[in-house]
PDB file of all heavy atoms in Angstrom:
ATOM      1  N   SER A  41       9.129   9.745 -28.148  1.00  0.00           N
ATOM      2  CA  SER A  41       7.986   8.884 -28.450  1.00  0.00           C
ATOM      3  C   SER A  41       8.396   7.720 -29.338  1.00  0.00           C
ATOM      4  O   SER A  41       7.841   6.627 -29.242  1.00  0.00           O
ATOM      5  CB  SER A  41       6.876   9.696 -29.117  1.00  0.00           C
ATOM      6  OG  SER A  41       6.355  10.633 -28.223  1.00  0.00           O
ATOM      7  N   GLY A  42       9.350   7.959 -30.214  1.00  0.00           N
ATOM      8  CA  GLY A  42       9.866   6.868 -31.045  1.00  0.00           C
ATOM      9  C   GLY A  42      10.536   5.800 -30.205  1.00  0.00           C
ATOM     10  O   GLY A  42      10.390   4.603 -30.461  1.00  0.00           O
ATOM     11  N   ILE A  43      11.278   6.225 -29.181  1.00  0.00           N
ATOM     12  CA  ILE A  43      11.905   5.272 -28.267  1.00  0.00           C
ATOM     13  C   ILE A  43      10.823   4.495 -27.513  1.00  0.00           C
ATOM     14  O   ILE A  43      10.935   3.287 -27.307  1.00  0.00           O
ATOM     15  CB  ILE A  43      12.854   6.005 -27.302  1.00  0.00           C
ATOM     16  CG1 ILE A  43      14.018   6.593 -28.080  1.00  0.00           C
ATOM     17  CG2 ILE A  43      13.357   5.071 -26.209  1.00  0.00           C
ATOM     18  CD1 ILE A  43      14.862   7.567 -27.288  1.00  0.00           C
ATOM     19  N   THR A  44       9.762   5.202 -27.113  1.00  0.00           N
ATOM     20  CA  THR A  44       8.645   4.547 -26.441  1.00  0.00           C
ATOM     21  C   THR A  44       8.003   3.505 -27.356  1.00  0.00           C
ATOM     22  O   THR A  44       7.626   2.417 -26.907  1.00  0.00           O
ATOM     23  CB  THR A  44       7.586   5.589 -26.021  1.00  0.00           C
ATOM     24  OG1 THR A  44       8.211   6.588 -25.242  1.00  0.00           O
ATOM     25  CG2 THR A  44       6.447   4.966 -25.260  1.00  0.00           C
ATOM     26  N   LEU A  45       7.899   3.838 -28.625  1.00  0.00           N
ATOM     27  CA  LEU A  45       7.324   2.902 -29.590  1.00  0.00           C
ATOM     28  C   LEU A  45       8.170   1.637 -29.701  1.00  0.00           C
ATOM     29  O   LEU A  45       7.635   0.525 -29.740  1.00  0.00           O
ATOM     30  CB  LEU A  45       7.185   3.579 -30.957  1.00  0.00           C
ATOM     31  CG  LEU A  45       6.565   2.766 -32.083  1.00  0.00           C
ATOM     32  CD1 LEU A  45       5.186   2.269 -31.710  1.00  0.00           C
ATOM     33  CD2 LEU A  45       6.504   3.597 -33.342  1.00  0.00           C
ATOM     34  N   VAL A  46       9.482   1.788 -29.713  1.00  0.00           N
ATOM     35  CA  VAL A  46      10.363   0.621 -29.770  1.00  0.00           C
ATOM     36  C   VAL A  46      10.167  -0.242 -28.520  1.00  0.00           C
ATOM     37  O   VAL A  46      10.066  -1.471 -28.604  1.00  0.00           O
ATOM     38  CB  VAL A  46      11.839   1.051 -29.927  1.00  0.00           C
ATOM     39  CG1 VAL A  46      12.777  -0.144 -29.757  1.00  0.00           C
ATOM     40  CG2 VAL A  46      12.061   1.710 -31.273  1.00  0.00           C
ATOM     41  N   GLY A  47      10.093   0.397 -27.357  1.00  0.00           N
ATOM     42  CA  GLY A  47       9.860  -0.351 -26.120  1.00  0.00           C
ATOM     43  C   GLY A  47       8.521  -1.064 -26.121  1.00  0.00           C
ATOM     44  O   GLY A  47       8.401  -2.198 -25.640  1.00  0.00           O
ATOM     45  N   ALA A  48       7.503  -0.411 -26.676  1.00  0.00           N
ATOM     46  CA  ALA A  48       6.181  -1.034 -26.749  1.00  0.00           C
ATOM     47  C   ALA A  48       6.203  -2.251 -27.668  1.00  0.00           C
ATOM     48  O   ALA A  48       5.582  -3.281 -27.378  1.00  0.00           O
ATOM     49  CB  ALA A  48       5.150  -0.019 -27.235  1.00  0.00           C
ATOM     50  N   ILE A  49       6.932  -2.141 -28.772  1.00  0.00           N
ATOM     51  CA  ILE A  49       7.040  -3.284 -29.694  1.00  0.00           C
ATOM     52  C   ILE A  49       7.752  -4.446 -29.011  1.00  0.00           C
ATOM     53  O   ILE A  49       7.329  -5.608 -29.137  1.00  0.00           O
ATOM     54  CB  ILE A  49       7.767  -2.864 -30.988  1.00  0.00           C
ATOM     55  CG1 ILE A  49       6.883  -1.912 -31.791  1.00  0.00           C
ATOM     56  CG2 ILE A  49       8.160  -4.066 -31.823  1.00  0.00           C
ATOM     57  CD1 ILE A  49       7.580  -1.252 -32.959  1.00  0.00           C
ATOM     58  N   LEU A  50       8.812  -4.126 -28.273  1.00  0.00           N
ATOM     59  CA  LEU A  50       9.522  -5.192 -27.550  1.00  0.00           C
ATOM     60  C   LEU A  50       8.632  -5.834 -26.495  1.00  0.00           C
ATOM     61  O   LEU A  50       8.652  -7.052 -26.296  1.00  0.00           O
ATOM     62  CB  LEU A  50      10.790  -4.632 -26.905  1.00  0.00           C
ATOM     63  CG  LEU A  50      11.902  -4.225 -27.860  1.00  0.00           C
ATOM     64  CD1 LEU A  50      13.033  -3.535 -27.101  1.00  0.00           C
ATOM     65  CD2 LEU A  50      12.419  -5.439 -28.612  1.00  0.00           C
ATOM     66  N   SER A  51       7.840  -5.019 -25.813  1.00  0.00           N
ATOM     67  CA  SER A  51       6.939  -5.544 -24.789  1.00  0.00           C
ATOM     68  C   SER A  51       5.861  -6.430 -25.398  1.00  0.00           C
ATOM     69  O   SER A  51       5.538  -7.492 -24.864  1.00  0.00           O
ATOM     70  CB  SER A  51       6.306  -4.393 -24.017  1.00  0.00           C
ATOM     71  OG  SER A  51       5.367  -4.870 -23.090  1.00  0.00           O
ATOM     72  N   ALA A  52       5.303  -5.982 -26.504  1.00  0.00           N
ATOM     73  CA  ALA A  52       4.251  -6.777 -27.153  1.00  0.00           C
ATOM     74  C   ALA A  52       4.815  -8.066 -27.739  1.00  0.00           C
ATOM     75  O   ALA A  52       4.158  -9.100 -27.725  1.00  0.00           O
ATOM     76  CB  ALA A  52       3.578  -5.954 -28.245  1.00  0.00           C
ATOM     77  N   GLY A  53       6.045  -7.996 -28.235  1.00  0.00           N
ATOM     78  CA  GLY A  53       6.637  -9.162 -28.879  1.00  0.00           C
ATOM     79  C   GLY A  53       7.196 -10.197 -27.923  1.00  0.00           C
ATOM     80  O   GLY A  53       7.455 -11.333 -28.319  1.00  0.00           O
ATOM     81  N   SER A  54       7.378  -9.825 -26.660  1.00  0.00           N
ATOM     82  CA  SER A  54       7.956 -10.782 -25.711  1.00  0.00           C
ATOM     83  C   SER A  54       6.996 -11.921 -25.383  1.00  0.00           C
ATOM     84  O   SER A  54       7.419 -13.027 -25.094  1.00  0.00           O
ATOM     85  CB  SER A  54       8.382 -10.083 -24.422  1.00  0.00           C
ATOM     86  OG  SER A  54       7.246  -9.648 -23.703  1.00  0.00           O
ATOM     87  N   GLN A  55       5.711 -11.655 -25.421  1.00  0.00           N
ATOM     88  CA  GLN A  55       4.653 -12.650 -25.209  1.00  0.00           C
ATOM     89  C   GLN A  55       4.889 -13.494 -23.957  1.00  0.00           C
ATOM     90  O   GLN A  55       4.776 -14.715 -23.983  1.00  0.00           O
ATOM     91  CB  GLN A  55       4.499 -13.539 -26.432  1.00  0.00           C
ATOM     92  CG  GLN A  55       4.066 -12.788 -27.663  1.00  0.00           C
ATOM     93  CD  GLN A  55       3.901 -13.686 -28.860  1.00  0.00           C
ATOM     94  OE1 GLN A  55       4.308 -14.841 -28.871  1.00  0.00           O
ATOM     95  NE2 GLN A  55       3.287 -13.154 -29.902  1.00  0.00           N
ATOM     96  N   GLN A  56       5.179 -12.818 -22.842  1.00  0.00           N
ATOM     97  CA  GLN A  56       5.352 -13.542 -21.590  1.00  0.00           C
ATOM     98  C   GLN A  56       4.009 -14.029 -21.062  1.00  0.00           C
ATOM     99  O   GLN A  56       3.882 -15.179 -20.664  1.00  0.00           O
ATOM    100  CB  GLN A  56       6.054 -12.658 -20.574  1.00  0.00           C
ATOM    101  CG  GLN A  56       7.483 -12.358 -20.974  1.00  0.00           C
ATOM    102  CD  GLN A  56       8.186 -11.473 -19.985  1.00  0.00           C
ATOM    103  OE1 GLN A  56       7.599 -11.043 -19.002  1.00  0.00           O
ATOM    104  NE2 GLN A  56       9.445 -11.191 -20.238  1.00  0.00           N
ATOM    105  N   THR A  57       3.035 -13.137 -21.041  1.00  0.00           N
ATOM    106  CA  THR A  57       1.667 -13.509 -20.666  1.00  0.00           C
ATOM    107  C   THR A  57       0.713 -12.832 -21.630  1.00  0.00           C
ATOM    108  O   THR A  57       1.106 -11.946 -22.398  1.00  0.00           O
ATOM    109  CB  THR A  57       1.333 -13.064 -19.223  1.00  0.00           C
ATOM    110  OG1 THR A  57       1.340 -11.644 -19.168  1.00  0.00           O
ATOM    111  CG2 THR A  57       2.322 -13.629 -18.216  1.00  0.00           C
ATOM    112  N   LEU A  58      -0.526 -13.209 -21.577  1.00  0.00           N
ATOM    113  CA  LEU A  58      -1.533 -12.576 -22.428  1.00  0.00           C
ATOM    114  C   LEU A  58      -1.690 -11.107 -22.064  1.00  0.00           C
ATOM    115  O   LEU A  58      -1.839 -10.248 -22.948  1.00  0.00           O
ATOM    116  CB  LEU A  58      -2.878 -13.312 -22.296  1.00  0.00           C
ATOM    117  CG  LEU A  58      -4.020 -12.740 -23.139  1.00  0.00           C
ATOM    118  CD1 LEU A  58      -3.683 -12.834 -24.623  1.00  0.00           C
ATOM    119  CD2 LEU A  58      -5.316 -13.451 -22.834  1.00  0.00           C
ATOM    120  N   LEU A  59      -1.623 -10.788 -20.777  1.00  0.00           N
ATOM    121  CA  LEU A  59      -1.769  -9.404 -20.327  1.00  0.00           C
ATOM    122  C   LEU A  59      -0.652  -8.521 -20.883  1.00  0.00           C
ATOM    123  O   LEU A  59      -0.914  -7.420 -21.384  1.00  0.00           O
ATOM    124  CB  LEU A  59      -1.786  -9.338 -18.800  1.00  0.00           C
ATOM    125  CG  LEU A  59      -1.932  -7.940 -18.198  1.00  0.00           C
ATOM    126  CD1 LEU A  59      -3.267  -7.322 -18.585  1.00  0.00           C
ATOM    127  CD2 LEU A  59      -1.770  -7.989 -16.690  1.00  0.00           C
ATOM    128  N   THR A  60       0.597  -8.984 -20.824  1.00  0.00           N
ATOM    129  CA  THR A  60       1.699  -8.171 -21.345  1.00  0.00           C
ATOM    130  C   THR A  60       1.602  -8.000 -22.854  1.00  0.00           C
ATOM    131  O   THR A  60       1.940  -6.944 -23.383  1.00  0.00           O
ATOM    132  CB  THR A  60       3.062  -8.773 -20.983  1.00  0.00           C
ATOM    133  OG1 THR A  60       3.159 -10.084 -21.527  1.00  0.00           O
ATOM    134  CG2 THR A  60       3.288  -8.793 -19.494  1.00  0.00           C
ATOM    135  N   THR A  61       1.118  -9.005 -23.543  1.00  0.00           N
ATOM    136  CA  THR A  61       0.950  -8.904 -24.989  1.00  0.00           C
ATOM    137  C   THR A  61      -0.131  -7.890 -25.342  1.00  0.00           C
ATOM    138  O   THR A  61       0.058  -7.050 -26.232  1.00  0.00           O
ATOM    139  CB  THR A  61       0.599 -10.279 -25.590  1.00  0.00           C
ATOM    140  OG1 THR A  61       1.603 -11.215 -25.212  1.00  0.00           O
ATOM    141  CG2 THR A  61       0.497 -10.216 -27.102  1.00  0.00           C
ATOM    142  N   VAL A  62      -1.253  -7.939 -24.636  1.00  0.00           N
ATOM    143  CA  VAL A  62      -2.345  -6.999 -24.900  1.00  0.00           C
ATOM    144  C   VAL A  62      -1.932  -5.576 -24.544  1.00  0.00           C
ATOM    145  O   VAL A  62      -2.135  -4.636 -25.328  1.00  0.00           O
ATOM    146  CB  VAL A  62      -3.624  -7.418 -24.123  1.00  0.00           C
ATOM    147  CG1 VAL A  62      -4.686  -6.337 -24.179  1.00  0.00           C
ATOM    148  CG2 VAL A  62      -4.162  -8.727 -24.676  1.00  0.00           C
ATOM    149  N   LEU A  63      -1.332  -5.393 -23.367  1.00  0.00           N
ATOM    150  CA  LEU A  63      -0.899  -4.049 -22.967  1.00  0.00           C
ATOM    151  C   LEU A  63       0.197  -3.525 -23.896  1.00  0.00           C
ATOM    152  O   LEU A  63       0.220  -2.340 -24.226  1.00  0.00           O
ATOM    153  CB  LEU A  63      -0.422  -4.049 -21.513  1.00  0.00           C
ATOM    154  CG  LEU A  63      -1.505  -4.229 -20.457  1.00  0.00           C
ATOM    155  CD1 LEU A  63      -0.884  -4.271 -19.064  1.00  0.00           C
ATOM    156  CD2 LEU A  63      -2.549  -3.136 -20.537  1.00  0.00           C
ATOM    157  N   GLY A  64       1.096  -4.395 -24.328  1.00  0.00           N
ATOM    158  CA  GLY A  64       2.126  -3.995 -25.285  1.00  0.00           C
ATOM    159  C   GLY A  64       1.523  -3.586 -26.612  1.00  0.00           C
ATOM    160  O   GLY A  64       1.953  -2.617 -27.233  1.00  0.00           O
ATOM    161  N   GLY A  65       0.519  -4.324 -27.063  1.00  0.00           N
ATOM    162  CA  GLY A  65      -0.177  -3.966 -28.310  1.00  0.00           C
ATOM    163  C   GLY A  65      -0.866  -2.618 -28.207  1.00  0.00           C
ATOM    164  O   GLY A  65      -0.806  -1.803 -29.134  1.00  0.00           O
ATOM    165  N   LEU A  66      -1.528  -2.386 -27.079  1.00  0.00           N
ATOM    166  CA  LEU A  66      -2.158  -1.075 -26.869  1.00  0.00           C
ATOM    167  C   LEU A  66      -1.110   0.029 -26.814  1.00  0.00           C
ATOM    168  O   LEU A  66      -1.328   1.128 -27.354  1.00  0.00           O
ATOM    169  CB  LEU A  66      -2.975  -1.083 -25.571  1.00  0.00           C
ATOM    170  CG  LEU A  66      -4.287  -1.835 -25.613  1.00  0.00           C
ATOM    171  CD1 LEU A  66      -4.918  -1.903 -24.215  1.00  0.00           C
ATOM    172  CD2 LEU A  66      -5.250  -1.154 -26.574  1.00  0.00           C
TER     173      LEU A  66
END
Side-chain angles (χ1 to χ4, degrees):
S41 294
I43 294 168
T44 305
L45 182 57
V46 171
I49 291 170
L50 291 173
S51 176
S54 69
Q55 297 181 348
Q56 293 179 358
T57 65
L58 180 62
L59 180 63
T60 60
T61 305
V62 170
L63 290 178
L66 286 173

